[in-house]
């Protein structure tokens, strides 16, 4: 009798242990590891207390310390103006922030309707895309569908595309969403922002001559739906945020696919790298319809293997909200601080690591 009781007790204990074990395992699968980063409240400050407009892409200056950001002109209360915030404004949308969050340089006023993508080349020149859609360009307006190269002081040095004219010819774009410049000076443009647009990568030489393009609208490898981000790692590989297909695609600089598309980074809106060969991917659009079961936030992983090891959850994310939220763009400075550009919340966030 005692043996039977002991056996029953042991069985119950084992059963409880198994349930607990399964519960822990389920929790680990469903939830992200502890977030080692914290937000620095109020870090970014515009001159004279001006309220922040919608924040586009952010990137790091060649000095590793200053931060460049697209801030779409003025803070507009009407949500219907998302997509053309600079249409009626002369405010500068291209801002350079000090490590302390103060604006130390600005330019670009009146040139854009919807400034979006941004890169700074090794010489400090600033490249910016205008991703405005055709239906938001006022009749006769010669802005949009172009990529501009500025000197560090803000002088226009080159224009790619035909401002105000969309198209799929080599010298035309359709809402180009992002740009990256290789160490050798070649320019790669994510063309473009719309699910049924050109959906291609266009490559130009450093002097603006068209070299080639690859990609089209679709779901297969090498095809895209709403390209939202483009970035280059230390190996020279081209990472493309194929947001409409919920994946990151990786190519060499001639357009050859290098690996099976990565789907472990959610619905990618922005991509960046640090000096430790880590990749940072901002997901601002995972929701119950577009990418059910995934949370909005910034995922950090190994750039070589793609293994995700850290997740910065966007704490105000709501999977029932389809408009997109949180950081669409991400950058990392030389000290490992992370910056998130949040268009709809109208914030430029700084994250610092508080735990190993």
């Amino acid at each position: 009798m005692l043996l039977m009781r002991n056996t029953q007790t042991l069985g119950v204990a084992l059963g409880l242990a198994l349930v607990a074990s399964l519960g822990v395992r389920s929790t680990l699968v469903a939830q992200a590891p502890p977030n080692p980063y914290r937000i620095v409240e109020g870090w970014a400050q515009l001159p004279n207390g001006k309220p922040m407009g919608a924040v586009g892409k952010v990137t790091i200056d060649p000095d590793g310390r200053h931060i460049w950001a697209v801030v779409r002109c003025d803070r507009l209360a009407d949500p219907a103006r998302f997509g053309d915030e600079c249409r009626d404004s002369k405010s500068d949308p291209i801002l350079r922030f000090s490590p302390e969050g103060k604006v130390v340089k600005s330019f670009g006023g009146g040139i854009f309707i919807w400034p979006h993508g941004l890169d700074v080349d090794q010489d400090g020149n600033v490249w910016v895309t205008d991703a405005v859609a055709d239906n938001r360009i006022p009749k006769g307006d010669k802005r949009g569908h172009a990529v501009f190269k500025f000197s560090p002081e803000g002088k226009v040095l080159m224009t790619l595309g035909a401002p105000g004219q969309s198209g799929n010819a080599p010298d035309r774009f359709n809402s180009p969403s992002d740009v990256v410049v290789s160490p050798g000076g070649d320019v790669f443009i994510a063309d473009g922002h719309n699910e049924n647009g050109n959906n291609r990568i266009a490559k130009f030489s450093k002097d603006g001559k068209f070299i080639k393009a690859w990609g089209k609208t679709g779901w297969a490898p090498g095809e895209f739906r709403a390209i939202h981000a483009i970035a280059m790692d230390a190996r020279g590989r081209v990472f493309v945020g194929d947001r409409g297909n919920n994946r990151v695609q990786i190519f060499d600089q001639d357009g050859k696919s290098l690996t099976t598309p990565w789907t472990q980074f959610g619905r990618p809106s922005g991509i960046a790298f640090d000096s430790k060969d880590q990749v940072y991917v901002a997901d601002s659009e995972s929701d119950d319809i577009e990418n059910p079961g995934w949370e909005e936030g910034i995922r950090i992983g190994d750039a070589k293997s793609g293994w995700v090891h850290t997740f910065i959850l966007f704490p105000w994310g709501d999977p029932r909200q389809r408009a997109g939220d949180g950081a669409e763009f991400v950058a990392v400075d030389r000290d490992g601080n992370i910056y998130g550009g949040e268009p709809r919340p109208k914030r430029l966030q700084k994250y610092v690591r508080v735990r190993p």
Side-chain angles (χ1 to χ4, degrees):
M1 185 71 169
L2 182 59
L3 178 61
M4 184 177 295
R5 240 179 235 160
N6 286 343
T7 302
Q8 291 172 337
T9 302
L10 179 61
V12 170
L14 288 172
L16 290 173
L18 179 60
V19 169
S21 173
L22 288 173
V24 170
R25 188 173 295 118
S26 175
T27 301
L28 289 174
V29 170
Q31 302 297 328
N35 174 15
Y37 291 88
R38 292 294 179 268
I39 293 174
V40 180
E41 295 290 348
W43 174 79
Q45 302 169 52
L46 299 187
N48 303 315
K50 179 181 177 179
M52 189 75 69
V55 181
K57 190 176 177 181
V58 294
T59 194
I60 305 300
D61 189 86
D63 69 8
R65 302 178 67 246
H66 287 77
I67 297 88
W68 289 90
V70 168
V71 178
R72 295 181 190 135
C73 297
D74 305 310
R75 189 181 187 94
L76 303 179
D78 183 2
R81 289 295 307 277
F82 187 83
D84 63 6
E85 292 94 324
C86 292
R87 185 188 67 198
D88 306 316
S89 176
K90 297 297 183 182
S91 297
D92 290 339
I94 306 167
L95 308 182
R96 186 176 189 248
F97 289 85
S98 71
E100 295 74 35
K102 307 289 187 181
V103 176
V104 296
K105 189 182 295 294
S106 69
F107 53 81
I111 296 176
F112 302 91
I113 296 178
W114 203 44
H116 196 275
L118 168 73
D119 194 32
V120 181
D121 65 28
Q122 291 189 333
D123 296 324
N125 300 307
V126 182
W127 298 74
V128 185
T129 75
D130 192 333
V132 66
D134 269 334
N135 63 355
R136 288 181 174 270
I137 301 176
K139 185 177 181 179
D141 198 311
K142 300 298 184 183
R143 292 180 293 171
H145 304 303
V147 180
F148 296 89
K149 175 186 179 181
F150 296 89
S151 72
E153 292 72 37
K155 179 183 178 181
V156 176
L157 302 177
M158 184 187 301
T159 302
L160 298 178
Q165 301 177 44
S166 63
N168 57 13
D171 61 344
R172 295 289 189 275
F173 304 119
N174 190 343
S175 301
S177 56
D178 202 3
V179 56
V180 67
V181 183
S182 74
D186 287 338
V187 183
F188 298 81
I189 296 168
D191 178 30
H193 194 276
N194 307 316
E195 284 207 356
N196 295 309
N198 288 342
N199 281 306
R200 65 183 180 182
I201 304 301
K203 179 180 179 181
F204 292 80
S205 67
K206 61 183 179 181
D207 56 358
K209 294 180 180 178
F210 177 80
I211 297 175
K212 68 182 306 180
W214 71 87
K216 62 179 181 178
T217 302
W219 294 270
E223 298 176 352
F224 310 102
R225 293 189 71 83
I227 305 172
H228 200 269
I230 189 167
M232 187 173 292
D233 72 355
R235 299 174 182 82
R237 297 181 300 170
V238 178
F239 282 60
V240 177
D242 184 11
R243 189 166 76 175
N245 285 325
N246 300 330
R247 64 190 183 183
V248 174
Q249 297 201 58
I250 306 172
F251 304 90
D252 69 13
Q253 294 184 31
D254 291 318
K256 178 184 177 182
S257 181
L258 298 177
T259 185
T260 301
W262 289 356
T263 58
Q264 66 270 33
F265 287 93
R267 189 171 171 84
S269 289
I271 304 173
F273 302 92
D274 67 13
S275 60
K276 298 179 180 177
D277 203 28
Q278 295 186 118
V279 58
Y280 297 69
V281 180
D283 177 352
S284 62
E285 290 205 350
S286 282
D287 56 45
D288 285 344
I289 303 298
E290 305 294 351
N291 198 23
W294 292 76
E295 301 276 6
E296 296 171 342
I298 299 171
R299 293 176 176 85
I300 308 172
D302 180 76
K304 184 177 181 180
S305 68
W307 181 264
V308 178
H309 54 71
T310 303
F311 179 47
I312 303 173
L313 176 71
F314 180 63
W316 303 281
D318 184 347
R320 298 166 297 180
Q321 171 61 259
R322 296 192 62 197
D325 212 346
E328 277 198 23
F329 308 93
V330 61
V332 191
D333 69 20
R334 71 181 188 186
D335 298 318
N337 301 308
I338 301 172
Y339 303 86
E342 300 181 357
R344 292 187 185 275
K346 301 179 176 65
R347 290 189 296 248
L348 174 52
Q349 300 279 34
K350 178 179 181 178
Y351 297 84
V352 296
R353 194 173 188 110
V354 296
R355 288 200 303 272

